[in-house]
Amino acid sequence: MAGLDTQTLNMVLSTLQKYAERELTNAYLLELDYKDEFPHDVLQALYGDVGLHLLFIPEEFDGMGGGAYDIYRISEVMAGIDLGIATGVLATFLGSDPITVGGTPEQKAHWMGRIANEGLLVAYGATEPQAGSDLGSLKTKAEPVIEDGKVTGYHITGRKQWISNGGVAKIYTILANAPGGPSWFVVEHDAEGFTKGKPEDKHGIRASNTAALFLDNVYVPADRLVGGVEGQGLVQAQAVFGYTRLMVAAFGLGGGWAALKRTIPYSQVRIQGGAPLSQKQGYTHKLIVPNAVRLEAARSYIEWTAERLDGGEPDLQTEGAVAKYLATEAGNKAAEDSIQAHGGYGYTKEYMVEKIKRDVKITTIYEGTSEIMEWTIARDRWQLHLKTRGAYYNDWAARLDKVHRTEPYNGAAAAAMALRALAVVLERCRIDRLTRNQHILFRLGELIAYAETAAIFAERVQSHPTTAIPLDVATRQAMARIHARDAALKVADEGLRWAIGAGQTDPNLAGSLNLPGIYQAQAGLIEDMDFVSKKLNEAFPAE
């Protein structure tokens, strides 16, 4: 398995948290946000004193060789401190990835060694003004310079938009169309003809630097072509999505919990009607418990995906998309509900939940919007459904039946209902060709994300307890049951709605989805929510 040993990871986490407690106070972070200021000194300290950038660099290039699990843990903690600063760290990881994935041995040794030893900020130059995340619509051009019949360099011309670290990086990886196809090039910050736009005035993550890049006939030597072969750019970009989307998923997780960790203690001291809000179901069961449940379901899926990546398993882009989709949507909702939970106070800039909400929203946008995630999930799992002739989710449900027999309190039975209902909806979409409607395909992506996270949460809640949050196994089992019930009802109810809305032809579809059984499975829901609410208050007491 790739990655750090537990002792080293805990040391890095402890060093990071101690630095944040000492230097990154709420007052300082709010000041950065107000001034829209990129904190160069903080990034230098995180790289120089904490060595955070070394986590992403292989040991042979003077790095620490962290794995996907380590990246998730560090990313969650960073996001819980400040998502803007975390984004500056993400940008260096993302910017160096084309070299890590596709560089020649010489390129890796040179550039990764420089990033490690000089603590250089890096930026990833892929997104363009009119293309967004559609890398296939690339406009930036790389024209070869030929001398004596040999390519000696390239002139790059084009524009990049929404580039994190765009105005502050020292090294840029730029995606451009060469004659052989899309290719990555390494461009240094002071190259002639390379200019940067003013920092974007953003809604959130204002401690990060985001700027446009302008390349006007910028010359780079041929040895700056990543991998030394043209046309490998899109393959190299796709190869890192499993990791980078997992990192952004952890940002959503960390941001959502940062909001809840303020809201839960607040509910204990805010008195309404003679009792604290923490004792009122109308408050806790709407604004706190569902958000904590979704976040922990997302965590389970993130950890499952990270372990598979560290085990060397390829082609986990779909799992990365599921993790990013649920974790960032859950984090965004948790932050929004935390404003509501604080009432008028939450709407003021004095309270950190207002800033967290503005910050965490970006996680549903960058590294692929939630809508792109829905499409990616649905497209890939649709192919699996067709390839297995509908067996994929039914077989998974059968495995969950076995889990339920040995571990009956994990929510596996309800998760199995969600998967079987999902298989029915997918098959009905195949028979009636409902995926001709784009909206149906996107909604399938959402339903798949809920069903799969419910299944993984149920499978792992007891056998793989997390150490990242202070909740015992019994509490997480109750959370898994809540999420499984929610997923089953969501898949069956919304699947039926959209299938009928798109013109499905089965008069007995509602019966095939087992709606009566799914409704019956909701028994005990309020009791579980009461238990989770109580345990959250114990885990996060007011000071």
Side-chain angles (χ1 to χ4, degrees):
M1 294 287 284
L4 308 179
D5 60 76
T6 302
Q7 184 178 2
T8 302
L9 175 60
N10 288 339
M11 180 189 69
V12 174
L13 289 169
S14 176
T15 303
L16 174 58
Q17 288 167 327
K18 287 177 181 176
Y19 171 81
E21 290 168 5
R22 185 176 67 251
E23 302 292 340
L24 304 180
T25 63
N26 285 353
Y28 176 67
L29 295 174
L30 287 170
E31 182 182 5
L32 288 179
D33 179 75
Y34 176 74
K35 292 181 176 179
D36 195 10
E37 184 177 294
F38 177 77
H40 287 270
D41 56 336
V42 171
L43 269 294
Q44 288 173 356
L46 289 174
Y47 286 13
D49 299 342
V50 183
L52 210 56
H53 67 302
L54 300 178
L55 183 72
F56 313 127
I57 300 173
E59 290 182 89
E60 60 264 36
F61 307 126
D62 300 325
M64 297 176 67
Y69 184 88
D70 307 312
I71 291 167
Y72 134 66
R73 289 296 308 278
I74 295 290
S75 297
E76 181 189 4
V77 171
M78 280 295 306
I81 296 166
D82 187 274
L83 255 167
I85 295 172
T87 297
V89 177
L90 164 69
T92 289
F93 171 51
L94 186 58
S96 63
D97 252 0
I99 303 169
T100 305
V101 169
T104 65
E106 295 78 13
Q107 287 172 333
K108 291 178 183 179
H110 176 74
W111 295 110
M112 301 306 287
R114 282 194 63 189
I115 294 167
N117 295 312
E118 299 175 39
L120 301 178
L121 290 175
V122 187
Y124 180 84
T127 307
E128 296 188 352
Q130 301 304 318
S133 299
D134 182 8
L135 302 186
S137 300
L138 193 65
K139 301 296 182 186
T140 301
K141 299 291 185 183
E143 299 290 343
V145 176
I146 301 175
E147 297 179 5
D148 298 326
K150 181 181 178 181
V151 176
T152 59
Y154 294 84
H155 282 123
I156 305 176
T157 299
R159 178 180 175 183
K160 300 295 180 179
Q161 188 77 29
W162 316 120
I163 306 303
S164 296
N165 287 355
V168 297
K170 295 297 183 182
I171 295 172
Y172 298 76
T173 46
I174 301 293
L175 187 64
N177 263 323
S183 309
W184 288 100
F185 297 87
V186 180
V187 180
E188 296 197 63
H189 72 104
D190 55 358
E192 186 176 353
F194 185 28
T195 57
K196 298 87 183 174
K198 65 179 180 63
E200 300 287 355
D201 186 6
K202 303 188 299 295
H203 175 65
I205 58 167
R206 291 167 67 82
S208 69
N209 174 273
T210 307
L213 309 177
F214 304 91
L215 300 102
D216 183 9
N217 210 34
V218 173
Y219 177 76
V220 296
D223 63 5
R224 306 295 178 89
L225 168 62
V226 175
V229 179
E230 296 177 2
Q232 301 300 305
L234 297 186
V235 173
Q236 292 161 354
Q238 287 289 332
V240 303
F241 275 154
Y243 286 92
T244 57
R245 285 175 175 167
L246 203 70
M247 191 174 186
V248 178
F251 281 2
L253 183 66
W257 266 116
L260 288 185
K261 286 176 182 178
R262 288 165 170 81
T263 301
I264 295 166
Y266 173 83
S267 72
Q268 298 163 21
V269 299
R270 186 73 166 97
I271 307 300
Q272 284 289 324
L277 290 171
S278 60
Q279 296 180 14
K280 298 179 182 296
Q281 286 183 347
Y283 180 96
T284 59
H285 292 22
K286 178 184 179 184
L287 301 176
I288 294 179
V289 172
N291 290 305
V293 165
R294 281 189 292 268
L295 288 169
E296 288 309 288
R299 181 192 304 282
S300 188
Y301 200 93
I302 288 169
E303 292 187 349
W304 175 67
T305 305
E307 289 166 10
R308 293 172 67 189
L309 285 167
D310 287 340
E313 192 171 338
D315 302 324
L316 294 176
Q317 291 91 341
T318 311
E319 285 77 5
V322 171
K324 180 187 184 300
Y325 178 75
L326 192 76
T328 60
E329 287 291 322
N332 189 52
K333 186 68 166 67
E336 180 172 327
D337 283 352
S338 290
I339 289 180
Q340 187 76 12
H342 280 78
Y345 294 111
Y347 200 63
T348 66
K349 292 185 180 295
E350 180 182 353
Y351 278 67
M352 286 292 286
V353 291
E354 186 274 339
K355 175 184 176 298
I356 292 169
K357 173 61 181 76
R358 286 187 289 107
D359 285 349
V360 78
K361 178 59 185 175
I362 191 61
T363 65
T364 70
I365 298 172
Y366 63 12
E367 273 306 281
T369 65
S370 289
E371 291 69 36
I372 290 174
M373 296 303 98
E374 289 173 348
W375 177 77
T376 299
I377 296 162
R379 176 201 63 193
D380 295 350
R381 293 306 196 234
W382 177 249
Q383 292 300 319
L384 260 181
H385 176 80
L386 298 178
K387 183 179 178 180
T388 63
R389 301 191 178 192
Y392 182 73
Y393 286 117
N394 281 316
D395 289 348
W396 195 347
R399 295 195 299 271
L400 282 170
D401 290 338
K402 294 180 180 178
V403 172
H404 178 68
R405 285 195 288 272
T406 58
E407 298 175 349
Y409 303 110
N410 290 9
M417 288 180 175
L419 293 179
R420 288 192 172 95
L422 181 60
V424 169
V425 172
L426 288 168
E427 183 62 12
R428 181 46 48 187
C429 286
R430 182 193 69 81
I431 293 169
D432 288 327
R433 302 177 65 193
L434 303 183
T435 55
R436 291 178 296 176
N437 299 279
Q438 186 189 65
H439 186 61
I440 296 299
L441 190 67
F442 279 45
R443 298 284 50 77
L444 287 176
E446 180 185 17
L447 301 184
I448 290 166
Y450 269 80
E452 289 200 11
T453 53
I456 294 301
F457 202 3
E459 288 175 345
R460 292 173 58 89
V461 65
Q462 195 164 344
S463 58
H464 294 77
T466 186
T467 59
I469 205 82
L471 297 172
D472 61 20
V473 170
T475 305
R476 292 176 58 76
Q477 284 179 310
M479 287 177 149
R481 293 194 295 270
I482 293 168
H483 187 64
R485 292 184 186 102
D486 188 31
L489 188 58
K490 187 177 187 69
V491 171
D493 184 54
E494 295 187 18
L496 179 63
R497 177 194 182 195
W498 293 119
I500 292 173
Q504 74 89 25
T505 59
D506 180 6
N508 191 41
L509 180 58
S512 301
L513 290 168
N514 190 25
L515 271 169
I518 289 171
Y519 279 117
Q520 184 58 43
Q522 306 303 312
L525 175 59
I526 293 297
E527 182 181 356
D528 279 345
M529 296 182 81
D530 287 342
F531 180 71
V532 170
S533 178
K534 175 176 177 289
K535 290 296 185 177
L536 287 172
N537 282 310
E538 292 175 358
F540 304 103
E543 295 181 358

